[in-house]
Amino acid sequence: MYLLRKLLDLSEAWLERLFPKWAHARQVSKWDKHWQNPNYNPFWKTDQPQKELVEAIEAGWFAKDGRVIDLGCGNGEVSRWLAQEGFEVIGVDYSSKAIANCRRLSLGQERVPTFQVADLCAPNLQLPIAAGLFDRGCFHRIADNCREVFVQNMARATVRGGHFLLLAGTFQRSDFAHYRGARSERELREHIESLFGSYFSIDRSEAGVINAQEGHAGMPAMAFWMTRRE
């Protein structure tokens, strides 16, 4: 089974390099199918806020008078939590089905985030300018050949001196051993620095875990605290 998964993963990587637009459209379609399924319940889908996000708020690193964009918001759990904490929040995802779920699940709440469909890898994407960006597991599933455009879009969306808190999985877990995006902590740190360094100063990086539902192991990850360069 491992060898088959590894072969499929390598084949997908080869197709992504040859036909990046087709591969990206395929990913969008895949996630639309996931979010359209009411029974879709992956291990990382949880209402528990990341400790790094809580720390960023308590320390004032994410100031409550500033807008925050929740990148790859999925069903909007993080966006709704941030809104209840008093933030102006925009949740974005390239899946129209996910955004439809976000709007439905937010009905009746006292503070409702704004949700919009946005392909974060579209060249020259224009998002509203924000003081803070939060990414819990979006970047790490983007194909390598789309990441430079993603970074440029994120830089364009962040006010000078604004902050970007990024949590990216290392995939250093046996059930993800086949995944082509797996990187050691050192490799991931170097990768992030090479991509983001022209636009953001990396103030801090540390090992972390992407939250999981009760009874499931979290995803080993790295947390990057970045400031948009002046």
Side-chain angles (χ1 to χ4, degrees):
M1 180 61 73
Y2 168 78
L3 290 176
L4 177 59
R5 291 175 70 185
K6 185 68 174 178
L7 180 60
L8 289 172
D9 202 58
L10 290 172
S11 299
E12 187 173 351
W14 179 75
L15 287 170
E16 282 181 352
R17 286 193 295 271
L18 285 180
F19 309 105
K21 291 183 179 179
W22 170 84
H24 188 62
R26 180 171 172 268
Q27 285 294 314
V28 175
S29 177
K30 182 188 80 170
W31 284 104
D32 268 346
K33 289 177 182 177
H34 282 325
W35 292 121
Q36 193 171 22
N37 178 4
N39 298 317
Y40 182 59
N41 193 34
F43 73 91
W44 43 261
K45 189 173 176 290
T46 173
D47 292 329
Q48 180 185 6
Q50 286 288 147
K51 67 179 183 62
E52 293 86 357
L53 180 57
V54 173
E55 179 184 344
I57 294 171
E58 291 180 346
W61 199 73
F62 277 168
K64 290 194 175 180
D65 59 353
R67 174 187 291 147
V68 174
I69 301 179
D70 178 19
L71 304 169
C73 63
N75 268 4
E77 291 87 357
V78 171
S79 295
R80 286 189 291 277
W81 183 84
L82 283 167
Q84 294 307 308
E85 289 294 307
F87 287 90
E88 177 192 350
V89 186
I90 300 176
V92 299
D93 201 291
Y94 64 8
S95 168
S96 60
K97 307 302 182 184
I99 295 301
N101 289 345
C102 288
R103 292 169 177 161
R104 174 177 53 81
L105 292 168
S106 300
L107 290 174
Q109 285 200 328
E110 182 179 354
R111 300 181 64 92
V112 178
T114 298
F115 293 106
Q116 69 179 70
V117 178
D119 185 345
L120 301 177
C121 297
N124 299 312
L125 174 69
Q126 299 295 326
L127 289 173
I129 304 300
L133 273 64
F134 180 64
D135 181 340
R136 175 188 173 270
C138 174
F139 169 83
H140 71 206
R141 296 312 302 260
I142 294 173
D144 281 6
N145 57 5
C146 293
R147 288 183 173 181
E148 187 173 347
V149 173
F150 171 89
V151 172
Q152 292 169 356
N153 287 336
M154 296 309 97
R156 194 178 299 111
T158 310
V159 67
R160 298 297 191 273
H163 294 136
F164 186 174
L165 177 55
L166 168 66
L167 276 92
T170 61
F171 296 92
Q172 298 295 305
R173 211 174 77 181
S174 59
D175 49 337
F176 286 102
H178 69 288
Y179 182 58
R180 66 185 181 281
R183 286 180 168 90
S184 68
E185 291 180 3
R186 178 185 60 80
E187 290 170 336
L188 181 56
R189 187 179 290 109
E190 292 173 353
H191 181 60
I192 294 296
E193 288 175 350
S194 70
L195 284 171
F196 286 87
S198 296
Y199 306 97
F200 295 87
S201 61
I202 301 175
D203 307 325
R204 177 175 153 198
S205 62
E206 59 193 18
V209 175
I210 292 177
N211 289 346
Q213 298 176 18
E214 187 175 353
H216 293 267
M219 166 66 72
M222 291 287 293
F224 297 90
W225 305 66
M226 298 185 283
T227 300
R228 181 70 167 94
R229 294 187 184 278
E230 295 292 343

